[in-house]
Amino acid sequence: MPRAALSADAVVALALETVDQAGPAALTLSAVAGRAGVATPSLYKHVRNLAELRDLVSARIMNDMADEAGRAVLGRSADEAIRAFMKAWRDYTLRNPHRYAALLQTPEPRTAEAGARLLDIIRAALRSYGLTDSAAIHMARCLRAAVHGFAVLETDGAFGLPESLDESHDLLVRMVIAGAGAPRPT
């Protein structure tokens, strides 16, 4: 990549290539500069430091996930929406395990907008169950914990028993759907 073509977006794209190829631990400014064919200090015109680059990478990943989840859920409601959302999340993580591992799980200013998009998709699906306010927040947390936990364990190869992972995921989806539709205490 010629130096003139370098921009913040280009640096993030090169960082994602690094992550895809060698995993999140390989993401360094030096590695990205090497891909760009520039000296490391040249990156400081586009990102302040590695922490900012990690935030920008995470925001890009989260936006990509929100795009996929949004397309999957579009036109669906209730059980179909939850099922489509969980499938889209799993599919993304299986296609992009290193990117998913690079995703920052704590709210950061640069990931706030992308995180809000994902949360809006979840909340829209939960409205079909009549979940609003704090009930929707609690269920959204449970849904996130379910999809994230399964994704991390599956991409890390932590499910060692021979039973089908697809069947396990289907069971998880049914459990989340049952929880979303369960009566609420008054």
Side-chain angles (χ1 to χ4, degrees), residues 106-152:
T106 55
E108 300 292 334
R110 286 178 189 84
T111 60
E113 183 179 325
R117 288 182 61 217
L118 273 171
L119 188 56
D120 287 346
I121 293 165
I122 294 170
R123 284 183 176 159
L126 296 177
R127 273 194 294 276
S128 302
Y129 297 99
L131 298 174
T132 58
D133 304 324
S134 66
I137 291 169
H138 294 306
M139 190 61 210
R141 286 176 178 164
C142 291
L143 175 56
R144 179 179 175 213
V147 294
H148 173 70
F150 199 94
V152 168

